[in-house]
Each structure stands twice: as C-alpha cells, then as structure tokens.
C-alpha cells in the first residue's frame, strides 16, 4: 500500500522561501507522475506542479512558474517542492499525490486521476 507523508510547511514573511518534502513508501509503479496540489482559503484545491518520471518532465501552474521548483530524490523516495518569493496568495494546505502510468502537460493537473494522496502540510506567507 502506497503512503505519502508531507513535511516542511510553516510560516514565512512575504518574499521568503520554504522547501516541502513528500516521503513515499510502498510500491509505486513506473512510469508515474507525482504532483503537488494546494487548497487556499476559500478556494478549491488546485494543481501547483508535477514531476513525470518518464523523461523527468516537470509541469507548473502559471501562478508559480519561475518561483517554485519540483524535484524528485529517487534514492530517498522523496518528492520536493522548493518555493521562493512566497506571497500571501500562496498560503494554503499543500498536498502531494501520485498516479501511474504517468501524466502529460494536458492532464497533470486533473485531480481525479491521482489515487494516492497525503494529508497535507500548511504554508502561511504573511505580508
């Protein structure tokens, strides 16, 4: 059974940085797609970034492109999200999720295709 556990959330001043981690246990088929989603206060959950194992392709939402970086540490079975220049609108609960066999730029953000989710880690960026 696959389990995902997020960590690294916290509170920062606007302009600050955080690095989220998602530890995975259990068997994950390959190729696969691991992603970060977030739910901001008063909003529906949305895709932030994804990492497709085939070709190590990365995808980002327009709102975080250029500020966030997703990466995969295969040796430690961990997905990371480096978040820079954080703004108050980035505040929310951040989840990681996994699906297989993979994803593309056309569907990485479709939540219904992911079948394992973590519990989330909170991020608060204050002005």
């Amino acid at each position: 059974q696959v389990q995902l556990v997020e960590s690294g959330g916290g509170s920062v001043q606007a302009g600050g940085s955080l690095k989220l981690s998602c530890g995975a246990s259990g068997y994950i088929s390959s190729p696969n797609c691991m992603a970060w989603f977030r739910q901001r206060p008063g909003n529906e959950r949305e895709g932030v970034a994804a990492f497709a194992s085939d070709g190590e392709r990365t995808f980002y939402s327009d709102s975080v492109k250029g500020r966030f970086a997703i990466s995969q540490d295969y040796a430690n079975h961990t997905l990371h999200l480096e978040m820079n220049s954080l703004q108050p609108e980035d505040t929310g609960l951040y989840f990681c999720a996994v699906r297989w066999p993979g994803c593309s730029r056309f569907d990485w953000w479709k939540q219904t295709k992911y079948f394992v989710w973590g519990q989330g880690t909170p991020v608060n960026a204050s002005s």
Side-chain angles (χ1 to χ4, degrees), residues 25 27 30 37 39 41 66 78 85 100 115:
S25 61
Y27 176 74
S30 187
F37 291 81
Q39 185 161 19
T78 302
S85 302
W100 54 84
F115 39 83

Side-chain angles (χ1 to χ4, degrees), residues 7 11 22 29 31-33 42 45 50-51 61 73 75-76 79 81 86 97 105-106 127:
S7 62
S11 295
C22 173
S29 184
N32 57 69
C33 185
R45 193 163 58 186
F51 187 100
S61 67
D73 178 353
N76 293 299
L79 181 74
L81 185 69
L86 282 161
R105 63 187 177 96
F106 299 108
S127 57

Side-chain angles (χ1 to χ4, degrees), residues 39-45 91:
Q39 185 161 19
R40 296 180 289 171
N43 290 272
E44 294 188 357
R45 193 163 58 186
T91 294

